[in-house]
Amino acid sequence: MVAGQEPVESMEIVRYVEQGAAQPRVGVRRDGKIAPVRFGSVAELLREPLDALRAGLEPAGAEVDASTVTYLPPVDGLTEVWASGVTYERSREGRKEESVQASVYEKVYDAPRPELFLKAVAWRVVTDGEPVAVRADSTVDVPEPELAVVANSRGQIVGYTVCNDMSSRSIEGENPLYIPQAKIFNGSCAIATGIRPAWEVDPSDLAITMKVVRDGAVVFEGETSTARLHRTLEELVEVLYAPSDFPDGAILSTGTGIVPDLSFSLTEGDRVDIEIAQVGTLSNPVVRGREPLSWLVDALTQPAARRKGQQ
């Protein structure tokens, strides 16, 4: 809750498919129920100015039990997911450790211009319970738990969600110019099922925690806070929107402050659990290579095909 405002009932914007249905819907989830809203897609919602968007979240149909639906990532249409790099001191140190060009990361941390890069188009994004992947040709791979900002077509921050920005440290470490290959592949971007409205969240000091579970045991855990961000959320969004139009809005993941030592790498069969206070949770099993995410292509026209990834 934002300081100075009256308490509000917690809610999340979700995208889902009901049992027996073929078309996705957009709704508001609260207290174990989902009520559909008038927007037919999240992209349509993000075309609206903040006030109209907020007013459009009133229920527009009968509620359903939140446990009976198939959840889809809350991103569709022409909405893009972008990401920020080296926005925490720990990220700067981690990149210096892995890279043969360590000075590049030292410079970008303090530079006037932040590092921003395209992470995923909407259809490649996975959500809670679906697998994330490591590249088959990578040797050191890590999850990156991050607060993601949801901005509308006007660049207004309208919400927040949880993002796992999967990364190949071995590929990026060879050469910073390889960052698209280290960052963009099947299963490289996971987003929580819900978007928390911006007017319900104070993002200034949110606890972020992550655990990696292997064979039932925690093999890595870490924590940080958005208070340690080196740049403001508004600054990152402003730089992203300055040269480009985003007619269906954008999701901008704001960088990680949790970076394992270079001796650690994800392996197939791991599970990555992330939690951000006030925002949500995200849990994904880890697979290796391109093939286990091939159902993403079918899901372009058959949203229910995502159930294959949630089994």
Side-chain angles (χ1 to χ4, degrees), residues 64-291:
V64 297
D65 190 321
S67 66
T68 64
V69 307
T70 297
Y71 287 102
L72 310 177
V75 53
D76 52 27
L78 299 177
T79 306
E80 299 168 359
V81 180
W82 284 66
S84 314
V86 202
T87 53
Y88 289 80
E89 184 176 6
R90 176 65 189 113
S91 179
R92 177 186 65 176
E93 296 308 310
R95 296 298 180 262
K96 287 167 60 180
E97 291 166 6
E98 75 193 24
S99 180
V100 296
Q101 301 289 337
S103 64
V104 171
Y105 299 99
E106 183 74 39
K107 292 175 181 177
V108 77
Y109 181 77
D110 291 315
R113 183 189 299 275
E115 178 194 7
L116 302 177
F117 53 90
L118 180 66
K119 182 63 184 179
V121 291
W123 69 269
R124 273 209 183 95
V125 178
V126 299
T127 193
D128 188 72
E130 297 176 345
V132 290
V134 296
R135 286 184 57 136
D137 58 352
S138 177
T139 58
V140 182
D141 304 272
V142 292
E144 297 189 1
E146 305 181 8
L147 175 70
V149 171
V150 182
N152 64 9
S153 59
R154 293 157 176 79
Q156 298 171 308
I157 296 175
V158 301
Y160 304 97
T161 189
V162 183
C163 181
N164 181 356
D165 170 17
M166 293 286 288
S167 181
S168 167
R169 297 188 72 183
S170 54
I171 292 176
E172 184 178 357
E174 289 178 33
N175 191 319
L177 294 179
Y178 294 162
I179 192 169
Q181 298 174 71
K183 292 286 192 177
I184 305 172
F185 48 88
N186 282 4
S188 68
C189 180
I191 290 178
T193 57
I195 296 172
R196 291 279 283 121
W199 53 90
E200 291 193 8
V201 177
D202 178 355
S204 61
D205 188 9
L206 302 176
I208 302 175
T209 59
M210 181 181 73
K211 293 181 180 180
V212 177
V213 180
R214 181 176 299 161
D215 297 327
V218 175
V219 293
F220 175 82
E221 58 185 329
E223 61 181 353
T224 189
S225 166
T226 56
R228 298 176 184 171
L229 266 167
H230 185 58
R231 301 179 189 271
T232 68
L233 304 180
E234 292 77 11
E235 173 192 358
L236 293 171
V237 172
E238 182 180 359
V239 173
L240 177 64
Y241 275 67
S244 303
D245 289 316
F246 294 92
D248 289 353
I251 296 178
L252 176 59
S253 201
T254 57
T256 187
I258 302 174
V259 181
D261 292 335
L262 268 175
S263 59
F264 176 85
S265 180
L266 287 173
T267 187
E268 188 171 21
D270 288 351
R271 189 185 75 239
V272 180
D273 297 332
I274 300 169
E275 180 173 0
I276 301 182
Q278 299 185 44
V279 177
T281 60
L282 177 62
S283 180
N284 304 95
V286 179
V287 297
R288 189 169 189 84
R290 168 185 174 185
E291 291 75 12

Side-chain angles (χ1 to χ4, degrees), residues 15-18 20-26 40 70 72 300-304:
R15 183 168 164 260
Y16 61 99
V17 178
E18 295 182 56
Q23 296 301 316
R25 306 191 75 172
V26 177
T70 297
L72 310 177
L300 275 167
T301 55
Q302 306 169 57

